[in-house]
Amino acid sequence: MTPTLVGRIQTRLVLLATVGLAWTIVVVPFLPRFGASVPAVYSATITALFLVAIFGVGWECLYHWIQQYRWEKDWPILFSFALGLLESIPVLIVLAGTFQPAPPIGTFYAHFVTTWIVVWLTAVGPFRVFVLRWRFNGGRLL
């Protein structure tokens, strides 16, 4: 079954809150900081993760609307992966307006891209193995 809108939103939020947060905690000490302190980088990356979750609900609604015009009512899996770069732009703009000085773009994208890859790979791989009923419930977890 193709994941429903509610299922995609629930899956996105759960994966960001678990896999995304765990990856962020692990990867931040290895990110280029460009003179910023580790707590400042943690603050910016956790905020970025939160913003991705918030904006993601809106993106999922937009994607759902666009998908209604497609024959199979779903995206090709690689297309859903590539949409991550599009989603990064508003998050970067909000972060730049929130944090003074703004987090370096290199640090932001190093975190964003690696987190996106880890969360996406988990969603298309192990998540479907460990949450067996996921696909039969339209992606809904609750």
Side-chain angles (χ1 to χ4, degrees):
M1 170 182 245
T2 301
T4 63
L5 174 62
V6 172
R8 286 194 314 272
I9 290 172
Q10 287 179 4
T11 301
R12 176 187 284 258
L13 295 177
V14 165
L15 285 174
L16 285 173
T18 56
V19 176
L21 184 60
W23 177 256
T24 298
I25 291 169
V26 169
V27 79
V28 162
F30 303 103
L31 291 175
R33 293 193 304 267
F34 301 106
S37 67
V38 173
V41 175
Y42 267 117
S43 177
T45 54
I46 298 291
T47 303
L49 198 62
F50 179 74
L51 290 172
V52 167
I54 296 299
F55 285 136
V57 172
W59 282 112
E60 288 295 346
C61 292
L62 176 66
Y63 299 156
H64 181 75
W65 179 72
I66 294 171
Q67 285 173 355
Q68 301 312 302
Y69 297 102
R70 291 186 43 83
W71 176 264
E72 56 278 323
K73 306 276 191 254
D74 199 9
W75 299 122
I77 196 74
L78 192 56
F79 187 64
S80 67
F81 174 71
L83 285 172
L85 291 177
L86 181 64
E87 292 186 19
S88 70
I89 296 168
V91 172
L92 182 60
I93 291 170
V94 171
L95 277 180
T98 304
F99 286 91
Q100 296 303 324
I105 291 177
T107 303
F108 170 77
Y109 274 108
H111 171 256
F112 187 90
V113 169
T114 58
T115 304
W116 188 262
I117 289 170
V118 168
V119 168
W120 184 80
L121 286 174
T122 303
V124 298
F127 188 76
R128 294 178 184 200
V129 172
F130 294 119
V131 187
L132 295 174
R133 302 297 300 168
W134 178 84
R135 20 176 294 202
F136 300 111
N137 293 329
R140 291 185 311 275
L141 299 170
L142 302 173

